[in-house]
Amino acid sequence: MEKPSYRILFLWIYVISLVLWIIEEIYTLTNPPEIFDKFRILIATFETFIAVSSFLAISILYRELKAEEIENEQAQTAIHDLKRTNRILKNPESSFWIEVKSQMDAWKLTETEKEIAILLLRGFSHQQIAGVRKKSLRTIENQTASIYEKASMRGKLELISFFLTPLLPEEE
């Protein structure tokens, strides 16, 4: 990602002003203090500029660090997804369900939630799952809501898409 030129310019100005400040401090320490009495306001202004610039530089660096952290997380997610796709495509018949169960473990789904999630992946409706499991529709709705929450998904289609997407060929 290209850094905006104003940030680079600011950082150069900041570095140059720091060097000037160090030179000024050394000169102040090596000469009698009376010489600097008439320049006291100028020196105080310069040192205030350095202090404010330091906070601004820290702010810029913090924002860039946060942006890099977000990019790193996105890259790690992409790498994880590509590895999952690779494992599934090596042996689609058995690897698919191994990956599904592994992901469900990563989401920390209960055994009941895993069974319901598999039925959802197979295309069952809430009513059909309630009938198969001999539970109330409200219970199944609550359990599927818990599955979606743990998986950070909004619904059945997103859940199915999560597992189906790695099996689809790349668009040309």
Side-chain angles (χ1 to χ4, degrees):
M1 185 173 86
E2 187 66 27
K3 291 185 177 91
S5 60
Y6 72 89
R7 288 183 181 173
I8 294 172
L9 177 63
F10 169 76
L11 290 174
W12 272 110
I13 291 170
Y14 179 68
V15 168
I16 291 168
S17 62
L18 279 177
V19 170
L20 290 173
W21 176 61
I22 291 169
I23 292 169
E24 178 259 330
E25 287 296 319
I26 291 170
Y27 191 73
T28 303
L29 291 173
T30 59
N31 289 297
E34 303 85 42
I35 296 174
F36 298 98
D37 282 344
K38 58 184 173 183
F39 299 111
R40 197 174 330 155
I41 293 176
L42 181 63
I43 293 171
T45 303
F46 185 68
E47 289 178 350
T48 302
F49 170 76
I50 295 293
V52 170
S53 299
S54 297
F55 286 116
L56 189 56
I58 290 170
S59 172
I60 289 171
L61 293 174
Y62 178 76
R63 278 188 264 138
E64 288 184 10
L65 182 64
K66 281 298 183 188
E68 293 293 328
E69 184 179 333
I70 290 168
E71 285 183 30
N72 187 24
E73 288 173 4
Q74 291 171 342
Q76 286 177 351
T77 300
I79 289 169
H80 178 277
D81 291 347
L82 289 171
K83 285 181 178 179
R84 181 171 56 94
T85 300
N86 191 35
R87 286 191 302 266
I88 290 172
L89 293 177
K90 280 184 181 176
N91 187 2
E93 294 80 23
S94 63
S95 295
F96 178 79
W97 289 109
I98 292 170
E99 286 300 316
V100 167
K101 290 177 182 176
S102 172
Q103 185 61 56
M104 289 180 186
D105 289 338
W107 288 333
K108 295 180 175 45
L109 299 184
T110 65
E111 289 304 315
T112 301
E113 290 169 338
K114 288 177 188 177
E115 291 173 17
I116 292 171
I118 289 171
L119 293 173
L120 289 169
L121 288 174
R122 291 186 182 277
F124 282 57
S125 69
H126 288 162
Q127 293 83 359
Q128 291 170 324
I129 296 171
V132 168
R133 296 193 42 82
K134 296 180 175 67
K135 300 289 181 185
S136 74
L137 180 60
R138 187 70 182 145
T139 300
I140 299 303
E141 288 171 346
N142 288 338
Q143 290 171 322
T144 55
S146 176
I147 292 167
Y148 301 145
E149 184 179 336
K150 289 179 180 180
S152 298
M153 297 192 183
R154 290 171 280 171
K156 181 179 181 178
L157 291 177
E158 195 172 349
L159 180 72
I160 292 170
S161 175
F162 179 83
F163 292 106
L164 186 61
T165 301
L167 300 174
L168 299 174
E170 289 293 321
E171 294 179 26
E172 293 184 22

